[in-house]
């Protein structure tokens, strides 16, 4: 069979074109050929009738030309103009008598008799052949002349038979063949790009889940989000049922009234529903069928919507129907939401359901669907919908157990805040809290002082304070880790005129905590609420 896209001949059982890769739909192509063949046959009949008419007319013209009879010229007597008698005597010019005798030159008598050569009398009578008198009177044929006029009817020689030139016949046949070929080509081309047929194929493909065909039949704008997977998601309710009783009729819409566009109403049935109706706008494209005929595709009008906004928590990566949305789609937002959310503006998205996926290094993958039904719609996903991964929680708890030990050691050794600043977020400041922890180890008041000489931090237990995802004011993922621990040791107490060595211990429950933010791939301290005092 021949490819409906490029015209290349393929094997009869081929599924795809060997030249351009187009899927070969035998039923649809045979339907196109049958429709075109019917139109071609009708055109050929017309051409043959025209050729027969030309032959008949040529034969009639030939017969008329061959069989015509000579007719006397109207306005003439016996074949001569009767008006010719004016100024003529017996058929000769009467004015010619001047210097002539009986119409002959009188000066010609020298050596002539009566204007004829006298020497000619040997065999002639009065200059005429006497032998000729048998049938002539004074040199004229009495059977045919009267006073110099021909009394017999004018006779025309029969015409030669008229024959058509073989070259002309050949050219005529060639012209008819070319006309038939052109009509056939145009018929096949028009049948191949029929917009009603395109609408029928599209609806059938959608209902029967033939996504390759359906996707190829839509005239889509250029967008990385209008993928075949997105089309499948938008028609997630399709069951793959066979379409029956499908009819396509013309309809009206503003979009379909422009040049190169058409609106149709498609009515069809499936195994589970009858009388389904859909309206589509189809438009011509620059894609060509048989090199010359512009193909129709289903317009994206009503199938695709523009400028859909999707708000997601900061720090998350957004994907739509499997396509990651890059940061260049984020719209600047100076509102209060702008601190916690990124707003992505998607230029084109399929109508219907679209799969949304949010991912980050510290949260469980979150998947949902949003239904888009109009232009410039807004969809939001709350950070409360997200939860931390087990690995993220484990990493934060381990970090808390390590950090509390580091902070306790630095405070005991009276180190400055700069020594622990690497543990803290660049956006946070816990210097005052750290100074309080230093005081827990080394207290000095006007009336007494308490100075820890040794300590032991033990039984440190960390638990996650919140299982859901939260954000800092700067939009970073935030996790609170509650800490339970026991601190014990020795300290020197001085006051009220005495000095003594004491020991003590105190267990703090999980009321105390460290808040962490996920920044540059690690958990950093955002806030601290601890106590190292013991007695």
């Amino acid at each position: 069979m021949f490819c409906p896209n490029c015209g290349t001949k393929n094997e009869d059982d081929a599924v795809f074109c060997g030249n351009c890769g187009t899927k070969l739909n035998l039923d649809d192509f045979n339907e196109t050929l049958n429709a075109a063949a019917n139109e071609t046959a009708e055109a050929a009949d017309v051409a043959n009738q025209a050729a027969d008419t030309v032959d008949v007319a040529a034969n009639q013209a030939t017969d008329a030309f061959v069989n015509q009879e000579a007719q006397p010229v109207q306005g003439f007597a016996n074949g001569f103009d009767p008006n010719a008698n004016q100024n003529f005597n017996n058929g000769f010019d009467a004015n010619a008598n001047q210097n002539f005798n009986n119409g002959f030159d009188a000066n010609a008598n020298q050596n002539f008799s009566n204007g004829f050569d006298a020497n000619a009398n040997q065999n002639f009578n009065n200059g005429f052949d006497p032998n000729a008198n048998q049938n002539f009177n004074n040199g004229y044929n009495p059977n045919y002349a009267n006073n110099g006029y021909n009394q017999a009817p004018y006779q025309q020689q029969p015409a030669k038979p008229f024959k058509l030139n073989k070259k002309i016949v050949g050219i005529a046949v060639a012209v008819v063949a070319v006309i038939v070929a052109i009509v056939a080509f145009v018929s096949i081309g028009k049948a191949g790009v029929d917009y009603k047929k395109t609408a029928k194929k599209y609806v059938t493909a959608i209902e029967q889940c033939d996504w390759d065909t359906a996707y190829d039949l839509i005239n889509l704008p250029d967008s990385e989000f209008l993928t075949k997977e997105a089309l499948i998601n938008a028609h997630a309710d399709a069951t793959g049922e066979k379409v029956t009783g499908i009819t396509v009729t013309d309809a009206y819409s503003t979009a379909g009234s422009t040049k190169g566009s058409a609106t149709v109403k498609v009515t069809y049935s499936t195994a589970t529903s009858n009388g389904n109706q859909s309206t589509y706008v189809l438009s011509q494209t620059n894609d060509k069928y048989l090199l010359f005929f512009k193909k129709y595709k289903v317009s994206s009008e009503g199938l695709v919507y523009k400028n859909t906004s999707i708000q997601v928590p900061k720090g998350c990566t957004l994907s739509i129907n499997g396509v990651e949305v890059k940061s260049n789609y984020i719209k600047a937002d100076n509102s209060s939401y702008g601190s916690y959310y990124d707003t992505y503006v998607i230029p084109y998205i399929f109508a219907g359901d679209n799969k949304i996926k949010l991912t980050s290094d510290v949260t469980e993958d979150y998947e949902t669907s949003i239904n888009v039904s109009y232009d410039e719609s807004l969809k939001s996903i709350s950070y409360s919908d997200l939860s931390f991964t087990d690995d993220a929680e484990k990493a934060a708890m381990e970090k808390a157990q390590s950090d509390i030990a580091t902070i306790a050691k630095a405070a005991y050794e009276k180190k400055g805040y700069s020594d622990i600043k690497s543990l803290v977020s660049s956006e946070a400041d816990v210097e005052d809290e750290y100074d309080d922890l230093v005081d827990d180890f080394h207290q000095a008041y006007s009336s007494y002082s308490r100075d820890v000489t040794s300590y032991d931090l033990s039984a440190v237990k960390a638990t996650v304070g919140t299982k859901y995802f939260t954000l800092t004011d700067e939009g970073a993922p935030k996790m609170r880790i509650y800490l339970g621990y026991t601190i014990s040791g020795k300290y020197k107490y001085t006051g009220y005129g005495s000095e003594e060595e004491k020991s003590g211990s105190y267990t703090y429950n999980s009321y105390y905590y460290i808040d962490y933010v996920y920044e540059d791939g690690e958990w950093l301290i955002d806030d601290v609420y601890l106590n190292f005092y013991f007695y």
Side-chain angles (χ1 to χ4, degrees), residues 92 310 318 413 485 491 509 517:
F92 295 95
I310 303 175
L318 170 66
E413 295 176 354
Y485 53 93
Y491 61 93
N509 58 26
V517 295

Side-chain angles (χ1 to χ4, degrees), residues 248-405:
V248 182
T249 58
D250 288 317
Y252 175 80
S253 72
T254 302
S257 62
T258 59
K259 184 178 180 181
S261 299
T263 304
V264 297
K265 181 174 69 175
V266 183
T267 304
Y268 61 96
S269 298
T270 64
T272 57
S273 60
N274 297 319
N276 303 296
Q277 289 188 349
S278 300
T279 301
Y280 298 97
V281 176
L282 295 98
S283 56
Q284 286 182 329
T285 68
N286 290 325
D287 295 340
K288 299 294 180 61
Y289 177 66
L290 298 180
L291 301 179
F292 295 99
F293 302 94
K294 289 185 176 182
K295 292 182 178 180
Y296 275 93
K297 285 191 174 184
V298 178
S299 170
S300 61
E301 183 77 19
L303 302 180
V304 173
Y305 289 112
K306 303 175 183 177
N307 300 326
T308 298
S309 296
I310 303 175
Q311 287 183 339
V312 301
K314 281 185 177 296
C316 294
T317 299
L318 170 66
S319 296
I320 303 175
N321 298 311
V323 178
E324 181 178 325
V325 185
K326 300 179 179 61
S327 59
N328 59 294
Y329 289 100
I330 297 177
K331 181 183 71 173
D333 186 357
N334 297 321
S335 68
S336 59
Y337 287 100
S339 299
Y340 301 97
Y341 292 93
D342 286 326
T343 301
Y344 292 85
V345 178
I346 311 304
Y348 296 102
I349 193 170
F350 275 114
D353 290 333
N354 290 267
K355 288 186 177 181
I356 300 299
K357 185 177 182 179
L358 293 184
T359 60
S360 78
D361 293 341
V362 296
T363 59
E364 300 285 356
D365 291 349
Y366 177 78
E367 296 184 7
T368 187
S369 291
I370 59 172
N371 187 279
V372 180
S373 57
Y374 54 90
D375 290 336
E376 300 183 356
S377 59
L378 174 64
K379 306 295 179 180
S380 297
I381 299 172
S382 173
Y383 57 78
S384 61
D385 293 326
L386 306 180
S387 60
F388 290 108
T389 64
D390 291 341
D391 288 343
E393 291 179 349
K394 181 180 179 181
M397 289 188 293
E398 290 176 350
K399 187 71 164 42
Q401 290 173 323
S402 173
D403 286 350
I404 191 174

Side-chain angles (χ1 to χ4, degrees), residues 9-31:
K9 185 176 181 180
N10 295 273
E11 297 296 331
D12 291 341
D13 58 351
V15 179
F16 297 93
C17 176
N19 180 50
C20 67
T22 298
K23 184 177 179 182
L24 303 177
N25 191 323
L26 297 180
D27 293 336
D28 289 340
F29 192 62
N30 287 336
E31 181 182 342

